[in-house]
Structure formats: structure tokens, C-alpha cells
PDB file of all heavy atoms in Angstrom:
ATOM      1  N   HIS A   1       4.880  -2.784 -14.641  1.00  0.00           N
ATOM      2  CA  HIS A   1       5.144  -2.431 -13.253  1.00  0.00           C
ATOM      3  C   HIS A   1       3.844  -1.921 -12.634  1.00  0.00           C
ATOM      4  O   HIS A   1       2.978  -1.420 -13.333  1.00  0.00           O
ATOM      5  CB  HIS A   1       6.215  -1.346 -13.161  1.00  0.00           C
ATOM      6  CG  HIS A   1       7.576  -1.799 -13.566  1.00  0.00           C
ATOM      7  ND1 HIS A   1       7.907  -2.064 -14.876  1.00  0.00           N
ATOM      8  CD2 HIS A   1       8.686  -2.032 -12.844  1.00  0.00           C
ATOM      9  CE1 HIS A   1       9.172  -2.442 -14.936  1.00  0.00           C
ATOM     10  NE2 HIS A   1       9.668  -2.426 -13.708  1.00  0.00           N
ATOM     11  N   SER A   2       3.738  -2.045 -11.315  1.00  0.00           N
ATOM     12  CA  SER A   2       2.557  -1.576 -10.597  1.00  0.00           C
ATOM     13  C   SER A   2       2.943  -0.469  -9.636  1.00  0.00           C
ATOM     14  O   SER A   2       4.035  -0.480  -9.067  1.00  0.00           O
ATOM     15  CB  SER A   2       1.930  -2.713  -9.784  1.00  0.00           C
ATOM     16  OG  SER A   2       1.539  -3.760 -10.628  1.00  0.00           O
ATOM     17  N   VAL A   3       2.013   0.461  -9.430  1.00  0.00           N
ATOM     18  CA  VAL A   3       2.202   1.534  -8.453  1.00  0.00           C
ATOM     19  C   VAL A   3       1.170   1.332  -7.358  1.00  0.00           C
ATOM     20  O   VAL A   3      -0.035   1.250  -7.640  1.00  0.00           O
ATOM     21  CB  VAL A   3       2.040   2.923  -9.104  1.00  0.00           C
ATOM     22  CG1 VAL A   3       2.238   4.021  -8.067  1.00  0.00           C
ATOM     23  CG2 VAL A   3       3.013   3.098 -10.264  1.00  0.00           C
ATOM     24  N   ILE A   4       1.658   1.232  -6.113  1.00  0.00           N
ATOM     25  CA  ILE A   4       0.764   1.042  -4.978  1.00  0.00           C
ATOM     26  C   ILE A   4       0.991   2.144  -3.938  1.00  0.00           C
ATOM     27  O   ILE A   4       2.063   2.755  -3.897  1.00  0.00           O
ATOM     28  CB  ILE A   4       0.924  -0.351  -4.327  1.00  0.00           C
ATOM     29  CG1 ILE A   4       2.319  -0.515  -3.708  1.00  0.00           C
ATOM     30  CG2 ILE A   4       0.626  -1.461  -5.326  1.00  0.00           C
ATOM     31  CD1 ILE A   4       2.453  -1.765  -2.829  1.00  0.00           C
ATOM     32  N   VAL A   5      -0.031   2.361  -3.110  1.00  0.00           N
ATOM     33  CA  VAL A   5       0.046   3.370  -2.053  1.00  0.00           C
ATOM     34  C   VAL A   5      -0.656   2.829  -0.813  1.00  0.00           C
ATOM     35  O   VAL A   5      -1.552   1.986  -0.917  1.00  0.00           O
ATOM     36  CB  VAL A   5      -0.595   4.702  -2.511  1.00  0.00           C
ATOM     37  CG1 VAL A   5      -2.090   4.553  -2.731  1.00  0.00           C
ATOM     38  CG2 VAL A   5      -0.291   5.830  -1.552  1.00  0.00           C
ATOM     39  N   GLY A   6      -0.222   3.317   0.336  1.00  0.00           N
ATOM     40  CA  GLY A   6      -0.866   2.920   1.574  1.00  0.00           C
ATOM     41  C   GLY A   6      -0.364   3.770   2.728  1.00  0.00           C
ATOM     42  O   GLY A   6       0.417   4.704   2.538  1.00  0.00           O
ATOM     43  N   LEU A   7      -0.831   3.438   3.916  1.00  0.00           N
ATOM     44  CA  LEU A   7      -0.455   4.150   5.131  1.00  0.00           C
ATOM     45  C   LEU A   7       0.072   3.154   6.154  1.00  0.00           C
ATOM     46  O   LEU A   7      -0.385   2.008   6.195  1.00  0.00           O
ATOM     47  CB  LEU A   7      -1.674   4.864   5.721  1.00  0.00           C
ATOM     48  CG  LEU A   7      -2.280   5.980   4.892  1.00  0.00           C
ATOM     49  CD1 LEU A   7      -3.674   6.317   5.404  1.00  0.00           C
ATOM     50  CD2 LEU A   7      -1.403   7.215   4.940  1.00  0.00           C
ATOM     51  N   TYR A   8       1.024   3.598   6.978  1.00  0.00           N
ATOM     52  CA  TYR A   8       1.518   2.738   8.037  1.00  0.00           C
ATOM     53  C   TYR A   8       1.876   3.537   9.282  1.00  0.00           C
ATOM     54  O   TYR A   8       2.109   4.738   9.225  1.00  0.00           O
ATOM     55  CB  TYR A   8       2.711   1.885   7.574  1.00  0.00           C
ATOM     56  CG  TYR A   8       3.980   2.665   7.285  1.00  0.00           C
ATOM     57  CD1 TYR A   8       4.924   2.906   8.287  1.00  0.00           C
ATOM     58  CD2 TYR A   8       4.242   3.146   6.014  1.00  0.00           C
ATOM     59  CE1 TYR A   8       6.094   3.605   8.022  1.00  0.00           C
ATOM     60  CE2 TYR A   8       5.400   3.846   5.739  1.00  0.00           C
ATOM     61  CZ  TYR A   8       6.329   4.067   6.743  1.00  0.00           C
ATOM     62  OH  TYR A   8       7.479   4.768   6.479  1.00  0.00           O
ATOM     63  N   GLU A   9       1.904   2.832  10.408  1.00  0.00           N
ATOM     64  CA  GLU A   9       2.297   3.401  11.697  1.00  0.00           C
ATOM     65  C   GLU A   9       3.825   3.439  11.725  1.00  0.00           C
ATOM     66  O   GLU A   9       4.468   2.392  11.643  1.00  0.00           O
ATOM     67  CB  GLU A   9       1.737   2.533  12.819  1.00  0.00           C
ATOM     68  CG  GLU A   9       2.335   2.738  14.178  1.00  0.00           C
ATOM     69  CD  GLU A   9       2.299   4.154  14.688  1.00  0.00           C
ATOM     70  OE1 GLU A   9       1.225   4.774  14.685  1.00  0.00           O
ATOM     71  OE2 GLU A   9       3.366   4.638  15.091  1.00  0.00           O
ATOM     72  N   PRO A  10       4.435   4.622  11.787  1.00  0.00           N
ATOM     73  CA  PRO A  10       5.897   4.701  11.685  1.00  0.00           C
ATOM     74  C   PRO A  10       6.651   4.013  12.832  1.00  0.00           C
ATOM     75  O   PRO A  10       7.755   3.524  12.615  1.00  0.00           O
ATOM     76  CB  PRO A  10       6.193   6.197  11.662  1.00  0.00           C
ATOM     77  CG  PRO A  10       4.965   6.884  12.099  1.00  0.00           C
ATOM     78  CD  PRO A  10       3.820   5.942  11.884  1.00  0.00           C
ATOM     79  N   ARG A  11       6.079   3.935  14.018  1.00  0.00           N
ATOM     80  CA  ARG A  11       6.786   3.284  15.132  1.00  0.00           C
ATOM     81  C   ARG A  11       6.881   1.780  14.958  1.00  0.00           C
ATOM     82  O   ARG A  11       7.882   1.173  15.310  1.00  0.00           O
ATOM     83  CB  ARG A  11       6.094   3.584  16.466  1.00  0.00           C
ATOM     84  CG  ARG A  11       6.347   4.967  17.007  1.00  0.00           C
ATOM     85  CD  ARG A  11       5.771   5.174  18.410  1.00  0.00           C
ATOM     86  NE  ARG A  11       4.311   5.025  18.445  1.00  0.00           N
ATOM     87  CZ  ARG A  11       3.674   4.006  19.017  1.00  0.00           C
ATOM     88  NH1 ARG A  11       4.317   3.062  19.634  1.00  0.00           N
ATOM     89  NH2 ARG A  11       2.351   3.954  18.988  1.00  0.00           N
ATOM     90  N   THR A  12       5.842   1.173  14.386  1.00  0.00           N
ATOM     91  CA  THR A  12       5.791  -0.285  14.278  1.00  0.00           C
ATOM     92  C   THR A  12       5.981  -0.793  12.852  1.00  0.00           C
ATOM     93  O   THR A  12       6.284  -1.961  12.657  1.00  0.00           O
ATOM     94  CB  THR A  12       4.437  -0.813  14.778  1.00  0.00           C
ATOM     95  OG1 THR A  12       3.401  -0.327  13.905  1.00  0.00           O
ATOM     96  CG2 THR A  12       4.165  -0.386  16.209  1.00  0.00           C
ATOM     97  N   GLY A  13       5.744   0.060  11.857  1.00  0.00           N
ATOM     98  CA  GLY A  13       5.788  -0.379  10.465  1.00  0.00           C
ATOM     99  C   GLY A  13       4.520  -1.082  10.030  1.00  0.00           C
ATOM    100  O   GLY A  13       4.391  -1.500   8.881  1.00  0.00           O
ATOM    101  N   LYS A  14       3.537  -1.211  10.936  1.00  0.00           N
ATOM    102  CA  LYS A  14       2.287  -1.911  10.611  1.00  0.00           C
ATOM    103  C   LYS A  14       1.441  -1.068   9.665  1.00  0.00           C
ATOM    104  O   LYS A  14       1.156   0.094   9.920  1.00  0.00           O
ATOM    105  CB  LYS A  14       1.498  -2.217  11.882  1.00  0.00           C
ATOM    106  CG  LYS A  14       0.237  -2.990  11.596  1.00  0.00           C
ATOM    107  CD  LYS A  14      -0.473  -3.411  12.845  1.00  0.00           C
ATOM    108  CE  LYS A  14      -1.738  -4.085  12.371  1.00  0.00           C
ATOM    109  NZ  LYS A  14      -2.387  -4.890  13.279  1.00  0.00           N
ATOM    110  N   ARG A  15       1.046  -1.702   8.562  1.00  0.00           N
ATOM    111  CA  ARG A  15       0.236  -1.017   7.553  1.00  0.00           C
ATOM    112  C   ARG A  15      -1.234  -0.990   7.948  1.00  0.00           C
ATOM    113  O   ARG A  15      -1.746  -1.912   8.582  1.00  0.00           O
ATOM    114  CB  ARG A  15       0.372  -1.716   6.194  1.00  0.00           C
ATOM    115  CG  ARG A  15       1.726  -1.565   5.562  1.00  0.00           C
ATOM    116  CD  ARG A  15       1.725  -2.232   4.206  1.00  0.00           C
ATOM    117  NE  ARG A  15       2.997  -2.093   3.532  1.00  0.00           N
ATOM    118  CZ  ARG A  15       3.226  -2.526   2.295  1.00  0.00           C
ATOM    119  NH1 ARG A  15       2.260  -3.119   1.608  1.00  0.00           N
ATOM    120  NH2 ARG A  15       4.401  -2.360   1.748  1.00  0.00           N
ATOM    121  N   LEU A  16      -1.916   0.066   7.518  1.00  0.00           N
ATOM    122  CA  LEU A  16      -3.346   0.207   7.729  1.00  0.00           C
ATOM    123  C   LEU A  16      -4.070  -0.739   6.780  1.00  0.00           C
ATOM    124  O   LEU A  16      -3.790  -0.732   5.577  1.00  0.00           O
ATOM    125  CB  LEU A  16      -3.757   1.650   7.442  1.00  0.00           C
ATOM    126  CG  LEU A  16      -5.177   2.063   7.755  1.00  0.00           C
ATOM    127  CD1 LEU A  16      -5.373   2.135   9.259  1.00  0.00           C
ATOM    128  CD2 LEU A  16      -5.460   3.414   7.138  1.00  0.00           C
ATOM    129  N   PRO A  17      -4.988  -1.574   7.271  1.00  0.00           N
ATOM    130  CA  PRO A  17      -5.704  -2.485   6.372  1.00  0.00           C
ATOM    131  C   PRO A  17      -6.686  -1.726   5.471  1.00  0.00           C
ATOM    132  O   PRO A  17      -7.328  -0.777   5.902  1.00  0.00           O
ATOM    133  CB  PRO A  17      -6.443  -3.426   7.320  1.00  0.00           C
ATOM    134  CG  PRO A  17      -6.518  -2.709   8.618  1.00  0.00           C
ATOM    135  CD  PRO A  17      -5.376  -1.735   8.664  1.00  0.00           C
ATOM    136  N   LEU A  18      -6.759  -2.172   4.225  1.00  0.00           N
ATOM    137  CA  LEU A  18      -7.674  -1.596   3.233  1.00  0.00           C
ATOM    138  C   LEU A  18      -8.397  -2.739   2.525  1.00  0.00           C
ATOM    139  O   LEU A  18      -7.768  -3.476   1.777  1.00  0.00           O
ATOM    140  CB  LEU A  18      -6.914  -0.772   2.191  1.00  0.00           C
ATOM    141  CG  LEU A  18      -6.214   0.477   2.688  1.00  0.00           C
ATOM    142  CD1 LEU A  18      -5.278   1.013   1.623  1.00  0.00           C
ATOM    143  CD2 LEU A  18      -7.241   1.527   3.044  1.00  0.00           C
ATOM    144  N   GLN A  19      -9.658  -2.894   2.750  1.00  0.00           N
ATOM    145  CA  GLN A  19     -10.472  -3.947   2.148  1.00  0.00           C
ATOM    146  C   GLN A  19      -9.766  -5.294   2.272  1.00  0.00           C
ATOM    147  O   GLN A  19      -9.620  -5.800   3.360  1.00  0.00           O
ATOM    148  CB  GLN A  19     -10.823  -3.601   0.704  1.00  0.00           C
ATOM    149  CG  GLN A  19     -11.702  -2.374   0.600  1.00  0.00           C
ATOM    150  CD  GLN A  19     -12.017  -1.984  -0.824  1.00  0.00           C
ATOM    151  OE1 GLN A  19     -11.551  -2.591  -1.781  1.00  0.00           O
ATOM    152  NE2 GLN A  19     -12.802  -0.956  -0.980  1.00  0.00           N
ATOM    153  N   ASP A  20      -9.299  -5.871   1.165  1.00  0.00           N
ATOM    154  CA  ASP A  20      -8.682  -7.204   1.185  1.00  0.00           C
ATOM    155  C   ASP A  20      -7.163  -7.156   1.255  1.00  0.00           C
ATOM    156  O   ASP A  20      -6.514  -8.180   1.087  1.00  0.00           O
ATOM    157  CB  ASP A  20      -9.094  -7.990  -0.062  1.00  0.00           C
ATOM    158  CG  ASP A  20     -10.586  -8.267  -0.102  1.00  0.00           C
ATOM    159  OD1 ASP A  20     -11.200  -8.306   0.983  1.00  0.00           O
ATOM    160  OD2 ASP A  20     -11.135  -8.433  -1.195  1.00  0.00           O
ATOM    161  N   ASN A  21      -6.572  -5.979   1.458  1.00  0.00           N
ATOM    162  CA  ASN A  21      -5.127  -5.863   1.421  1.00  0.00           C
ATOM    163  C   ASN A  21      -4.663  -4.774   2.378  1.00  0.00           C
ATOM    164  O   ASN A  21      -5.459  -4.220   3.122  1.00  0.00           O
ATOM    165  CB  ASN A  21      -4.676  -5.558  -0.016  1.00  0.00           C
ATOM    166  CG  ASN A  21      -3.433  -6.324  -0.391  1.00  0.00           C
ATOM    167  OD1 ASN A  21      -2.535  -6.484   0.421  1.00  0.00           O
ATOM    168  ND2 ASN A  21      -3.377  -6.790  -1.617  1.00  0.00           N
ATOM    169  N   ASP A  22      -3.373  -4.444   2.317  1.00  0.00           N
ATOM    170  CA  ASP A  22      -2.844  -3.358   3.136  1.00  0.00           C
ATOM    171  C   ASP A  22      -2.239  -2.260   2.262  1.00  0.00           C
ATOM    172  O   ASP A  22      -1.370  -1.528   2.681  1.00  0.00           O
ATOM    173  CB  ASP A  22      -1.836  -3.872   4.169  1.00  0.00           C
ATOM    174  CG  ASP A  22      -0.638  -4.557   3.554  1.00  0.00           C
ATOM    175  OD1 ASP A  22      -0.530  -4.610   2.309  1.00  0.00           O
ATOM    176  OD2 ASP A  22       0.213  -5.048   4.316  1.00  0.00           O
ATOM    177  N   PHE A  23      -2.720  -2.191   1.025  1.00  0.00           N
ATOM    178  CA  PHE A  23      -2.318  -1.143   0.094  1.00  0.00           C
ATOM    179  C   PHE A  23      -3.413  -0.981  -0.949  1.00  0.00           C
ATOM    180  O   PHE A  23      -4.309  -1.820  -1.064  1.00  0.00           O
ATOM    181  CB  PHE A  23      -0.983  -1.470  -0.604  1.00  0.00           C
ATOM    182  CG  PHE A  23      -1.036  -2.715  -1.462  1.00  0.00           C
ATOM    183  CD1 PHE A  23      -1.459  -2.650  -2.785  1.00  0.00           C
ATOM    184  CD2 PHE A  23      -0.678  -3.942  -0.942  1.00  0.00           C
ATOM    185  CE1 PHE A  23      -1.517  -3.789  -3.574  1.00  0.00           C
ATOM    186  CE2 PHE A  23      -0.726  -5.085  -1.717  1.00  0.00           C
ATOM    187  CZ  PHE A  23      -1.147  -5.004  -3.032  1.00  0.00           C
ATOM    188  N   LEU A  24      -3.323   0.104  -1.713  1.00  0.00           N
ATOM    189  CA  LEU A  24      -4.254   0.366  -2.804  1.00  0.00           C
ATOM    190  C   LEU A  24      -3.459   0.376  -4.101  1.00  0.00           C
ATOM    191  O   LEU A  24      -2.433   1.071  -4.198  1.00  0.00           O
ATOM    192  CB  LEU A  24      -4.925   1.726  -2.591  1.00  0.00           C
ATOM    193  CG  LEU A  24      -5.880   2.205  -3.667  1.00  0.00           C
ATOM    194  CD1 LEU A  24      -7.113   1.309  -3.730  1.00  0.00           C
ATOM    195  CD2 LEU A  24      -6.303   3.639  -3.393  1.00  0.00           C
ATOM    196  N   LEU A  25      -3.893  -0.385  -5.085  1.00  0.00           N
ATOM    197  CA  LEU A  25      -3.254  -0.393  -6.396  1.00  0.00           C
ATOM    198  C   LEU A  25      -3.698   0.850  -7.148  1.00  0.00           C
ATOM    199  O   LEU A  25      -4.879   1.017  -7.438  1.00  0.00           O
ATOM    200  CB  LEU A  25      -3.644  -1.647  -7.176  1.00  0.00           C
ATOM    201  CG  LEU A  25      -3.133  -1.737  -8.610  1.00  0.00           C
ATOM    202  CD1 LEU A  25      -1.611  -1.807  -8.646  1.00  0.00           C
ATOM    203  CD2 LEU A  25      -3.750  -2.941  -9.310  1.00  0.00           C
ATOM    204  N   LEU A  26      -2.752   1.753  -7.424  1.00  0.00           N
ATOM    205  CA  LEU A  26      -3.079   2.977  -8.161  1.00  0.00           C
ATOM    206  C   LEU A  26      -3.163   2.718  -9.653  1.00  0.00           C
ATOM    207  O   LEU A  26      -3.906   3.380 -10.362  1.00  0.00           O
ATOM    208  CB  LEU A  26      -2.038   4.068  -7.889  1.00  0.00           C
ATOM    209  CG  LEU A  26      -2.016   4.636  -6.482  1.00  0.00           C
ATOM    210  CD1 LEU A  26      -0.953   5.713  -6.376  1.00  0.00           C
ATOM    211  CD2 LEU A  26      -3.375   5.193  -6.092  1.00  0.00           C
ATOM    212  N   GLY A  27      -2.360   1.781 -10.147  1.00  0.00           N
ATOM    213  CA  GLY A  27      -2.393   1.482 -11.560  1.00  0.00           C
ATOM    214  C   GLY A  27      -1.146   0.761 -12.007  1.00  0.00           C
ATOM    215  O   GLY A  27      -0.257   0.457 -11.212  1.00  0.00           O
ATOM    216  N   ALA A  28      -1.103   0.501 -13.290  1.00  0.00           N
ATOM    217  CA  ALA A  28       0.029  -0.185 -13.890  1.00  0.00           C
ATOM    218  C   ALA A  28       0.677   0.717 -14.926  1.00  0.00           C
ATOM    219  O   ALA A  28       0.004   1.540 -15.550  1.00  0.00           O
ATOM    220  CB  ALA A  28      -0.438  -1.487 -14.538  1.00  0.00           C
ATOM    221  N   ILE A  29       1.975   0.553 -15.068  1.00  0.00           N
ATOM    222  CA  ILE A  29       2.690   1.281 -16.116  1.00  0.00           C
ATOM    223  C   ILE A  29       3.526   0.287 -16.884  1.00  0.00           C
ATOM    224  O   ILE A  29       3.949  -0.744 -16.354  1.00  0.00           O
ATOM    225  CB  ILE A  29       3.585   2.417 -15.561  1.00  0.00           C
ATOM    226  CG1 ILE A  29       4.638   1.868 -14.610  1.00  0.00           C
ATOM    227  CG2 ILE A  29       2.754   3.468 -14.866  1.00  0.00           C
ATOM    228  CD1 ILE A  29       5.685   2.882 -14.222  1.00  0.00           C
ATOM    229  N   ASP A  30       3.748   0.568 -18.154  1.00  0.00           N
ATOM    230  CA  ASP A  30       4.577  -0.276 -18.992  1.00  0.00           C
ATOM    231  C   ASP A  30       5.854   0.478 -19.313  1.00  0.00           C
ATOM    232  O   ASP A  30       5.810   1.523 -19.983  1.00  0.00           O
ATOM    233  CB  ASP A  30       3.820  -0.643 -20.270  1.00  0.00           C
ATOM    234  CG  ASP A  30       4.522  -1.751 -21.060  1.00  0.00           C
ATOM    235  OD1 ASP A  30       5.191  -2.573 -20.432  1.00  0.00           O
ATOM    236  OD2 ASP A  30       4.393  -1.765 -22.287  1.00  0.00           O
ATOM    237  N   VAL A  31       6.965  -0.012 -18.822  1.00  0.00           N
ATOM    238  CA  VAL A  31       8.257   0.623 -19.061  1.00  0.00           C
ATOM    239  C   VAL A  31       8.800   0.101 -20.388  1.00  0.00           C
ATOM    240  O   VAL A  31       8.858  -1.102 -20.624  1.00  0.00           O
ATOM    241  CB  VAL A  31       9.242   0.297 -17.913  1.00  0.00           C
ATOM    242  CG1 VAL A  31      10.625   0.866 -18.223  1.00  0.00           C
ATOM    243  CG2 VAL A  31       8.704   0.829 -16.601  1.00  0.00           C
TER     244      VAL A  31
END
């Protein structure tokens, strides 16, 4: 599984762009 984080405008739901995506991959976990 992957854990991601990001920011968005609550009125529109539009995510803040980050480099090549609209989220940051924090890491992976193995369940």
C-alpha cells in the first residue's frame, strides 16, 4: 500500500500541483 499527502482548495477540490503530480508519496507499507 502507498501513503500519499497533498493540499487542496476546499471550495473547488482542486489539488495544489507538486512537481510532476498533485500529491507527494510519503512511502509504502506492506500489510
Side-chain angles (χ1 to χ4, degrees):
H1 292 71
S2 300
V3 180
I4 65 169
V5 66
L7 295 164
Y8 68 90
E9 164 55 52
R11 284 186 298 110
T12 65
K14 183 174 177 162
R15 291 183 179 184
L16 187 71
L18 295 168
Q19 295 178 357
D20 296 334
N21 221 321
D22 60 3
F23 63 86
L24 177 66
L25 175 64
L26 292 181
I29 60 170
D30 192 30
V31 175

